[in-house]
Amino acid sequence: MKFNDYTYERPDYDLYKKDFMHLVEQLKDAKSLEDVKETVDEISALSASLETMGTLASIRYSIDTKDDFYEQEDQYWNEYGPLYQELSITYYKAIMNSPYLDEVKEAYPRTFIQNMQFELDSFDSSVIELLQKENQLSSDYQKLIASAEIDFDGKTLTLSQFGPYLQSIDRTVRKEASNAQVSFFEKNEEKLDSMYDELVHVRDQIARKLGYKDFVELGYVRMKRFDYDRKMVEVYRNQVLEYVVPVTKKLAKRQAERIGIKEMKHYDETLQFLDGNPTPQGDPDYIIENGRKMYHELSDQTAEFIDFLFDKELVDLLSKEGKASGGYCTYIPDYQSPFIFANFNGTSGDIDVLTHEAGHAFQVYQSRWIKQPEIVFPTFETCEIHSMSMEFFTYPWMELFFKEQTEKYKFDHLSSAIRFLPYGVLVDHFQHEVYENPEWSPADRKACWRRLEKQYLPERDYSESDFLDKGTYWFRQGHIFASPFYYIDYTLAQVCALQFWKRAIVDQDDKAWGDYMTICEAGGTKSFLETVKAANLRSPFEEGSLERVIETIDEALEAVDDSKL
């Protein structure tokens, strides 16, 4: 059966509620641990079926936001999602109040119970209306971004399709493409400001109704940060400023020399080499064909996985009109199927999708043994270890895609991993400031972004764009609107993935892949720091861990004569 044959049917809420609450009562009446476990399995299966329908609707709407049927389904899930969540809360309360709780804790992974507690701590029936509003505003943002139809180069382009123009070796083209893309955000500035202003206030109201000081506290609970807090994140941010920013400033200087520019402007940042950035040496079919070859050679497990993914057409890779921007991996429980969504645009990012999103998909494919849908995927920062590390484990096969540009790609990819860290931390720091000051005006938020941008990205020059110079770059960062506090997870995971790079590529450590497999199979049964330990990596919060890995990468990049790439 292929993805298009997967059946979607809108659930009947009243019928689902009746079945679900019957099982909750059964759980409350349990006479033994075995009774509890049997009912938990039944509830997990029912929840997985619900999740299957919600995920199918979400995927198909993101593939075509102009599809009237799935737009209506998206609205349904925005409205009913919190009501289904309310039902889950009754289940979690029943578990927590069970006389068999101690035995349940012994019988299931610790994260399963922790997840329940954090869900209880982040929900109350009194905030359902606010949650519905939050969901709808997030969908409104996605739809607005997907609606972009910008005339350029005699074509009508979506935001995703600007990639090749933004990387053009012709500086005039880069500047004009950047201006055209920016014009969309400038035209919609008032809408975006209003949308985010509403989101901030809605989230602040939810947090205060639930008894939190601010949405930052609630945000950490929502993100299931089981074993670290905002103080630890602040220490980590300071390490990025101390150890990473000096390296990224140096890389920016090298880039300017490579592309022959004395003063780098914001539209120059995307071009890494004077003769052009590395690009895949083939069309999407060529990429897919070689992707299958790569995963067949990497391991028996990845071979089985990639055949499953491609044979069942569980990918949607090409950019097209009406398609949502960005890329993601999700999971359809009843079909035990990962799904990859992307927007190929002819840049090296197309290969990054094939490795990054496939890293997510491979993890969840290996975690299909887990019956509880809550912990098939781990928490977000752990998920990103799987995806970012896969980007490095596949280095030996990059020649399949880039041919004579392979070394150029590797230099660009590794240096990009370093350059990303300050930006990722900036996005997180900005959100802390915003939600600690919910009364700010849109102008205050923009001023905050620009102030922090100068701190984390001091090389960025907006002197030729008044709109960006006032602090609006973040309008394009969908996580800020739809997934608050997610973004730091990429950077924490990147620090872990770079350790896998050192072990697998530099040190040729045979045990690196085995450790990676271990954490993929574990799925969400371990917390972030437990996963790091199981992978034999060092925690990003550990004193000195960031300094040492950055030093190793800095030395590796310094050893490359990038002028010859």
Side-chain angles (χ1 to χ4, degrees), residues 370-415:
I370 301 170
K371 291 182 180 179
Q372 299 77 39
E374 295 92 341
I375 55 172
V376 175
F377 272 122
T379 49
F380 289 127
E381 74 290 269
T382 306
C383 282
E384 299 305 337
I385 298 178
H386 306 123
S387 58
M388 290 178 159
S389 298
M390 184 64 87
E391 295 179 38
F392 294 119
F393 278 116
T394 52
Y395 261 27
W397 288 270
M398 286 302 102
E399 194 169 348
L400 291 172
F401 307 101
F402 295 101
K403 298 182 179 178
E404 68 278 0
Q405 296 184 21
T406 300
E407 292 309 310
K408 181 191 279 191
Y409 168 78
K410 288 180 181 177
F411 178 86
D412 182 35
H413 182 265
L414 186 59
S415 60

Coordinates of all heavy atoms in Angstrom, one line a residue, residues 370-415:
I370 N 7.9 0.5 19.8 CA 7.3 1.1 21.0 C 5.8 1.3 20.8 O 5.4 1.9 19.9 CB 8.0 2.5 21.2 CG1 9.5 2.3 21.4 CG2 7.4 3.2 22.4 CD1 10.3 3.6 21.4
K371 N 5.0 0.7 21.7 CA 3.6 0.8 21.6 C 2.9 2.1 22.0 O 1.9 2.5 21.5 CB 2.9 -0.3 22.5 CG 3.2 -1.8 22.0 CD 2.5 -2.8 22.9 CE 2.8 -4.2 22.5 NZ 2.1 -5.2 23.4
Q372 N 3.6 2.8 22.9 CA 3.0 4.1 23.4 C 3.3 5.2 22.4 O 4.5 5.6 22.3 CB 3.5 4.4 24.8 CG 3.2 3.4 25.9 CD 4.1 2.1 25.8 OE1 5.3 2.3 25.5 NE2 3.5 1.0 26.0
P373 N 2.3 5.8 21.8 CA 2.6 6.8 20.8 C 3.3 8.1 21.3 O 4.0 8.8 20.6 CB 1.2 7.2 20.2 CG 0.2 6.7 21.2 CD 0.9 5.5 21.9
E374 N 3.1 8.3 22.6 CA 3.8 9.4 23.2 C 5.3 9.4 23.2 O 5.9 10.5 23.2 CB 3.3 9.6 24.7 CG 1.9 9.8 24.9 CD 1.0 8.6 25.1 OE1 1.5 7.5 24.7 OE2 -0.1 8.7 25.6
I375 N 5.9 8.2 23.1 CA 7.3 8.1 23.2 C 8.0 7.4 22.0 O 9.1 6.8 22.1 CB 7.8 7.5 24.5 CG1 7.1 6.1 24.8 CG2 7.5 8.4 25.7 CD1 7.6 5.4 26.0
V376 N 7.3 7.3 20.9 CA 7.9 6.7 19.7 C 9.0 7.7 19.2 O 10.1 7.3 19.0 CB 6.9 6.5 18.6 CG1 7.6 6.0 17.3 CG2 5.9 5.4 19.0
F377 N 8.7 9.0 19.1 CA 9.7 10.0 18.9 C 10.2 10.4 20.3 O 9.4 10.5 21.3 CB 9.0 11.2 18.3 CG 9.0 11.2 16.8 CD1 7.8 11.3 16.1 CD2 10.2 11.2 16.0 CE1 7.8 11.4 14.7 CE2 10.2 11.2 14.6 CZ 9.0 11.3 14.0
P378 N 11.4 10.8 20.4 CA 11.9 11.4 21.7 C 11.6 12.8 21.7 O 10.9 13.4 20.8 CB 13.4 11.1 21.6 CG 13.8 11.0 20.1 CD 12.5 10.5 19.4
T379 N 12.1 13.5 22.7 CA 11.9 15.0 22.7 C 12.7 15.6 21.6 O 13.6 15.0 21.0 CB 12.4 15.6 24.1 OG1 13.7 15.0 24.4 CG2 11.4 15.2 25.2
F380 N 12.4 16.9 21.3 CA 12.9 17.5 20.0 C 14.4 17.5 19.9 O 15.0 17.3 18.9 CB 12.3 18.9 19.8 CG 10.9 18.9 19.5 CD1 10.0 19.6 20.2 CD2 10.4 18.1 18.4 CE1 8.6 19.6 19.9 CE2 9.0 18.1 18.1 CZ 8.1 18.9 18.9
E381 N 15.1 17.9 21.0 CA 16.5 18.1 20.9 C 17.2 16.7 20.7 O 18.2 16.6 20.0 CB 17.1 18.8 22.1 CG 17.2 18.1 23.4 CD 15.9 17.8 24.1 OE1 15.4 18.7 24.9 OE2 15.3 16.8 23.8
T382 N 16.6 15.7 21.2 CA 17.1 14.3 21.0 C 16.8 13.9 19.5 O 17.7 13.3 18.9 CB 16.4 13.3 22.0 OG1 16.6 13.8 23.3 CG2 17.1 11.9 21.8
C383 N 15.6 14.2 19.0 CA 15.3 13.9 17.6 C 16.4 14.5 16.7 O 16.8 13.9 15.7 CB 14.0 14.6 17.3 SG 12.5 13.6 17.8
E384 N 16.8 15.7 17.0 CA 17.8 16.4 16.1 C 19.1 15.8 16.1 O 19.9 16.0 15.2 CB 17.8 17.9 16.4 CG 16.5 18.6 16.3 CD 15.8 18.5 14.9 OE1 16.6 18.2 13.9 OE2 14.6 18.7 14.8
I385 N 19.5 15.0 17.2 CA 20.8 14.3 17.2 C 20.7 13.3 16.1 O 21.7 13.1 15.3 CB 21.0 13.6 18.5 CG1 21.1 14.6 19.7 CG2 22.3 12.8 18.4 CD1 21.3 13.9 21.0
H386 N 19.6 12.6 15.9 CA 19.5 11.5 14.9 C 19.6 12.1 13.5 O 20.3 11.6 12.6 CB 18.1 10.8 15.0 CG 17.9 10.3 16.4 ND1 16.8 10.6 17.1 CD2 18.6 9.4 17.2 CE1 16.8 10.0 18.3 NE2 17.9 9.2 18.3
S387 N 18.9 13.3 13.3 CA 18.9 13.9 11.9 C 20.3 14.5 11.6 O 20.8 14.3 10.5 CB 17.8 14.9 11.8 OG 18.0 15.9 12.8
M388 N 20.8 15.3 12.5 CA 22.1 16.0 12.2 C 23.2 15.0 12.1 O 24.2 15.2 11.3 CB 22.3 17.1 13.2 CG 21.3 18.2 13.1 SD 21.6 19.5 14.3 CE 20.8 20.9 13.5
S389 N 23.2 14.0 12.9 CA 24.3 13.0 12.9 C 24.3 12.2 11.6 O 25.3 11.9 11.0 CB 24.2 12.0 14.1 OG 24.3 12.7 15.3
M390 N 23.1 11.9 11.1 CA 23.0 11.2 9.8 C 23.6 12.0 8.7 O 24.2 11.5 7.7 CB 21.5 10.9 9.4 CG 21.3 10.1 8.2 SD 22.0 8.4 8.2 CE 20.6 7.5 9.0
E391 N 23.6 13.4 8.7 CA 24.2 14.2 7.7 C 25.7 13.9 7.7 O 26.3 13.9 6.6 CB 24.0 15.7 8.1 CG 22.6 16.2 8.0 CD 22.4 17.6 8.4 OE1 23.3 18.4 8.0 OE2 21.4 18.0 9.0
F392 N 26.3 13.6 8.8 CA 27.7 13.3 8.9 C 28.1 11.8 8.6 O 29.1 11.6 7.9 CB 28.3 13.7 10.2 CG 28.3 15.2 10.5 CD1 27.6 15.7 11.6 CD2 28.9 16.1 9.6 CE1 27.5 17.1 11.8 CE2 28.9 17.4 9.9 CZ 28.2 17.9 10.9
F393 N 27.2 10.9 9.0 CA 27.5 9.5 8.7 C 27.4 9.2 7.2 O 28.0 8.3 6.7 CB 26.5 8.6 9.4 CG 26.8 8.4 10.9 CD1 26.0 8.8 11.9 CD2 27.9 7.6 11.2 CE1 26.3 8.6 13.2 CE2 28.3 7.4 12.6 CZ 27.4 7.8 13.6
T394 N 26.7 10.1 6.5 CA 26.6 9.8 5.0 C 27.7 10.6 4.2 O 27.7 10.5 3.0 CB 25.3 10.3 4.5 OG1 25.0 11.6 4.9 CG2 24.2 9.4 5.0
Y395 N 28.7 11.2 4.9 CA 29.8 11.9 4.2 C 30.5 11.1 3.1 O 30.8 11.5 2.0 CB 30.8 12.4 5.2 CG 30.6 13.9 5.6 CD1 29.4 14.5 5.5 CD2 31.7 14.6 6.0 CE1 29.3 15.9 5.8 CE2 31.6 16.0 6.4 CZ 30.4 16.6 6.3 OH 30.3 17.9 6.6
P396 N 30.8 9.8 3.4 CA 31.5 9.0 2.4 C 30.8 8.8 1.1 O 31.4 8.4 0.1 CB 31.7 7.6 3.2 CG 31.6 8.0 4.6 CD 30.6 9.1 4.7
W397 N 29.5 9.1 1.1 CA 28.7 8.9 -0.2 C 28.4 10.2 -0.9 O 27.7 10.2 -1.9 CB 27.4 8.2 0.1 CG 27.7 6.7 0.5 CD1 27.7 5.7 -0.4 CD2 27.9 6.2 1.8 NE1 28.0 4.5 0.3 CE2 28.1 4.8 1.6 CE3 28.0 6.7 3.0 CZ2 28.4 3.9 2.7 CZ3 28.3 5.9 4.1 CH2 28.5 4.5 3.9
M398 N 28.9 11.3 -0.4 CA 28.6 12.6 -1.0 C 29.0 12.8 -2.5 O 28.4 13.5 -3.2 CB 29.1 13.8 -0.2 CG 28.3 14.0 1.2 SD 26.6 14.3 0.9 CE 25.8 12.7 1.4
E399 N 30.0 12.0 -2.8 CA 30.5 12.0 -4.2 C 29.4 11.6 -5.2 O 29.4 12.0 -6.4 CB 31.7 11.2 -4.4 CG 32.5 11.5 -5.7 CD 33.9 10.8 -5.7 OE1 34.3 10.4 -4.7 OE2 34.4 10.8 -6.8
L400 N 28.5 10.7 -4.7 CA 27.4 10.3 -5.6 C 26.6 11.5 -6.1 O 26.0 11.5 -7.2 CB 26.5 9.4 -4.8 CG 27.0 8.0 -4.5 CD1 26.0 7.2 -3.6 CD2 27.3 7.2 -5.8
F401 N 26.4 12.5 -5.2 CA 25.6 13.6 -5.5 C 26.3 14.8 -6.1 O 25.9 15.6 -6.9 CB 24.8 14.1 -4.3 CG 24.1 13.0 -3.6 CD1 24.6 12.4 -2.5 CD2 22.9 12.5 -4.1 CE1 24.0 11.3 -1.8 CE2 22.2 11.5 -3.5 CZ 22.8 10.9 -2.3
F402 N 27.6 15.1 -5.6 CA 28.3 16.3 -5.9 C 29.5 16.1 -6.9 O 30.1 17.0 -7.4 CB 28.8 17.0 -4.6 CG 27.7 17.4 -3.8 CD1 27.2 16.7 -2.7 CD2 27.0 18.6 -4.1 CE1 26.2 17.2 -1.9 CE2 25.9 19.1 -3.3 CZ 25.5 18.3 -2.2
K403 N 29.9 14.8 -7.1 CA 31.0 14.5 -8.0 C 32.2 15.4 -7.7 O 32.7 15.3 -6.6 CB 30.5 14.6 -9.4 CG 29.4 13.7 -9.8 CD 28.9 13.7 -11.2 CE 27.8 12.7 -11.5 NZ 27.3 12.8 -12.9
E404 N 32.7 16.2 -8.7 CA 33.9 16.9 -8.5 C 33.8 18.1 -7.4 O 34.7 18.7 -7.0 CB 34.4 17.5 -9.8 CG 33.5 18.6 -10.4 CD 32.3 18.1 -11.2 OE1 32.2 16.8 -11.3 OE2 31.6 18.9 -11.7
Q405 N 32.5 18.3 -7.0 CA 32.3 19.4 -6.0 C 32.2 18.8 -4.6 O 31.8 19.5 -3.7 CB 31.0 20.1 -6.3 CG 31.0 20.9 -7.7 CD 29.7 21.7 -7.9 OE1 29.0 22.0 -6.9 NE2 29.4 22.0 -9.1
T406 N 32.6 17.6 -4.4 CA 32.4 16.9 -3.1 C 33.1 17.6 -2.0 O 32.6 17.9 -0.9 CB 32.8 15.4 -3.2 OG1 32.0 14.8 -4.2 CG2 32.6 14.7 -1.9
E407 N 34.4 17.9 -2.2 CA 35.2 18.5 -1.1 C 34.7 19.9 -0.8 O 34.7 20.4 0.3 CB 36.7 18.6 -1.5 CG 37.3 17.2 -1.5 CD 37.1 16.4 -0.3 OE1 37.3 16.9 0.8 OE2 36.6 15.2 -0.4
K408 N 34.2 20.6 -1.8 CA 33.6 21.9 -1.6 C 32.4 21.8 -0.8 O 32.1 22.6 0.2 CB 33.2 22.5 -3.0 CG 32.6 23.9 -2.9 CD 32.0 24.4 -4.2 CE 33.0 24.9 -5.2 NZ 32.4 25.6 -6.3
Y409 N 31.6 20.8 -1.1 CA 30.3 20.5 -0.3 C 30.7 20.3 1.2 O 30.1 20.8 2.1 CB 29.5 19.4 -0.8 CG 28.4 19.0 0.1 CD1 27.2 19.7 0.2 CD2 28.6 17.9 1.0 CE1 26.2 19.4 1.1 CE2 27.6 17.5 1.9 CZ 26.4 18.3 2.0 OH 25.5 17.9 2.9
K410 N 31.7 19.4 1.4 CA 32.0 19.0 2.8 C 32.5 20.2 3.6 O 32.2 20.4 4.8 CB 33.0 17.9 2.8 CG 32.5 16.5 2.4 CD 33.6 15.5 2.4 CE 33.1 14.1 1.9 NZ 34.1 13.1 1.9
F411 N 33.3 21.0 2.9 CA 33.8 22.2 3.6 C 32.6 23.2 4.0 O 32.5 23.7 5.1 CB 34.8 23.0 2.8 CG 35.3 24.3 3.4 CD1 36.4 24.2 4.3 CD2 34.7 25.5 3.1 CE1 36.8 25.4 4.9 CE2 35.2 26.7 3.7 CZ 36.2 26.6 4.6
D412 N 31.8 23.3 3.0 CA 30.6 24.2 3.2 C 29.7 23.7 4.3 O 29.2 24.4 5.1 CB 29.9 24.4 1.8 CG 28.7 25.3 1.9 OD1 28.7 26.3 2.7 OD2 27.6 25.0 1.3
H413 N 29.4 22.4 4.2 CA 28.5 21.8 5.2 C 29.0 21.8 6.6 O 28.3 22.2 7.5 CB 28.3 20.3 4.8 CG 27.3 19.6 5.7 ND1 27.7 18.8 6.7 CD2 25.9 19.5 5.6 CE1 26.6 18.3 7.3 NE2 25.5 18.7 6.7
L414 N 30.3 21.5 6.8 CA 30.9 21.5 8.1 C 31.0 23.0 8.6 O 30.7 23.2 9.8 CB 32.3 20.9 8.1 CG 33.0 20.7 9.4 CD1 32.2 19.9 10.4 CD2 34.4 20.1 9.3
S415 N 31.4 23.9 7.8 CA 31.5 25.3 8.3 C 30.1 25.8 8.5 O 29.8 26.6 9.5 CB 32.2 26.2 7.2 OG 31.6 26.2 6.0

